[in-house]
Amino acid sequence: MSQQPTQLQFYLLRFGKTALRALHVLGLCGAAGGFYFALPMALWRDWWILAMVSGTALLLWEVWRSRYYLIQMKGVLTLVKLLLLALCVPLPQWKAELFSLIVLLSVITAHGPSQLRHYSIWHRRELRGKEMKG
């Protein structure tokens, strides 16, 4: 985003991202049974689709907002979570453990100190772009 949004745009962007986050968490909660209890996919497929679509939208949103996202820890940890998720295919016996690790990394990413989230692995220091909350 190249210019500061108006107050209305800010609130709409903030609400949009909050709604996407809520849908993502809802999808993950619904899909968790498939990972933890080996339920038939038909029972949790729609939740999984919701989690993947909303997660993809959130990732694209972050990259659109700041070109630094993918080299900051918040982006790097998101890519690590995707890698762990991909490992569920060749290592299905570890699905529950991998899913648990993904959830733990999500909490660290979302609730960790901003110095951690904004730390650039490329620059080796905290790096903030022209970001806005929301």
Side-chain angles (χ1 to χ4, degrees):
M1 185 167 245
S2 59
Q3 61 189 18
Q4 286 295 97
T6 67
Q7 189 172 7
L8 176 61
Q9 289 170 330
F10 172 82
Y11 286 115
L12 289 174
L13 288 168
R14 181 104 187 228
F15 177 77
K17 187 169 180 191
T18 300
L20 272 177
R21 278 187 188 143
L23 290 172
H24 188 62
V25 170
L26 183 63
L28 289 173
C29 289
F35 283 88
Y36 288 126
F37 305 113
L39 298 173
M41 188 170 226
L43 294 175
W44 55 278
R45 178 182 294 119
D46 293 342
W47 297 109
W48 178 249
I49 292 169
L50 177 61
M52 292 299 97
V53 169
S54 59
T56 300
L58 284 167
L59 177 64
L60 293 172
W61 184 299
E62 291 295 343
V63 172
W64 171 71
R65 270 187 31 194
S66 172
R67 61 188 176 98
Y68 296 125
Y69 178 76
L70 294 174
I71 59 170
Q72 291 172 314
M73 285 302 290
K74 58 187 177 176
V76 171
L77 289 176
T78 298
L79 297 176
V80 167
K81 292 186 299 184
L82 288 171
L83 175 65
L84 292 170
L85 187 60
L87 286 175
C88 290
V89 174
L91 304 170
Q93 69 276 20
W94 292 96
K95 272 186 187 180
E97 292 82 357
L98 289 167
F99 189 78
S100 296
L101 186 54
I102 291 166
V103 170
L104 290 173
L105 284 173
S106 297
V107 172
I108 291 169
T109 303
H111 300 287
S114 68
Q115 295 88 349
L116 170 69
R117 290 192 313 269
H118 295 278
Y119 180 80
S120 166
I121 62 168
W122 182 265
H123 298 91
R124 305 274 190 240
R125 64 181 170 86
E126 185 179 352
L127 187 65
R128 292 177 184 261
K130 291 183 180 179
E131 298 176 3
M132 60 163 229
K133 194 137 174 92

